[in-house]
Amino acid sequence: MSANSQKKKFYALNMFDVVDVEKYLAYFRRLPEVAPQYGGRMVAFGRFRDSVAGDLAPRQVLFVVEWESEEAFNSFRDDPDLADLHPLRDRGTASYVWQAFDGLDMSDPDNASLDDVLAVLKP
């Protein structure tokens, strides 16, 4: 399948340290209900194990969310109806890294081709 025929996804990579477990849990408890309403799907959540390579200071937690589009992500991030949600994340974490990526769903490698990989690697 080529990059043109496979729908691009928008991924949010979140890495952070937890400073207040209760506040972060108050945020996280709402995500399974709220994120899908905005086109988000929680993909991975994990704890730091080891720094293998790179120069980014390690964070305790990794969280990846797949969004239907950048617009879907922005609607989640900017919706005034969620004004009480995001501060829970902010107050429960520190050293927060929140980066966005365009990409393809690679859960089935047979659906990706060399052209798909090249499309990601090109500027």
Side-chain angles (χ1 to χ4, degrees):
M1 183 173 286
S2 74
N4 292 333
S5 61
Q6 186 173 356
K7 184 177 179 184
K8 275 190 165 183
K9 297 288 185 172
F10 186 84
Y11 293 93
L13 169 67
N14 305 261
M15 294 186 300
F16 52 90
D17 295 327
V18 177
V19 294
D20 187 319
V21 172
E22 290 307 313
K23 284 186 177 112
Y24 188 76
L25 283 177
Y27 171 76
F28 192 82
R29 283 184 187 113
R30 289 179 56 191
L31 284 181
E33 177 185 338
V34 173
Q37 294 173 12
Y38 293 83
R41 180 178 74 88
M42 296 182 283
V43 175
F45 190 76
R47 182 138 183 106
F48 176 78
R49 174 180 277 191
D50 188 19
S51 192
V52 178
D55 58 2
L56 181 67
R59 305 300 196 273
Q60 295 171 336
V61 178
L62 161 85
F63 190 27
V64 179
V65 181
E66 177 187 87
W67 297 91
E68 292 175 359
S69 65
E70 182 176 5
E71 294 77 20
F73 169 75
N74 289 337
S75 69
F76 168 78
R77 190 187 63 191
D78 300 334
D79 190 333
D81 290 340
L82 298 179
D84 65 324
L85 179 66
H86 301 301
L88 294 170
R89 178 194 62 236
D90 297 339
R91 290 191 302 261
T93 64
S95 303
Y96 209 96
V97 174
W98 201 3
Q99 297 178 332
F101 295 84
D102 291 319
L104 301 170
D105 181 348
M106 298 293 288
S107 57
D108 182 357
D110 291 337
N111 286 336
S113 70
L114 183 56
D115 289 340
D116 294 327
V117 173
L118 289 172
V120 169
L121 296 177
K122 290 180 183 176

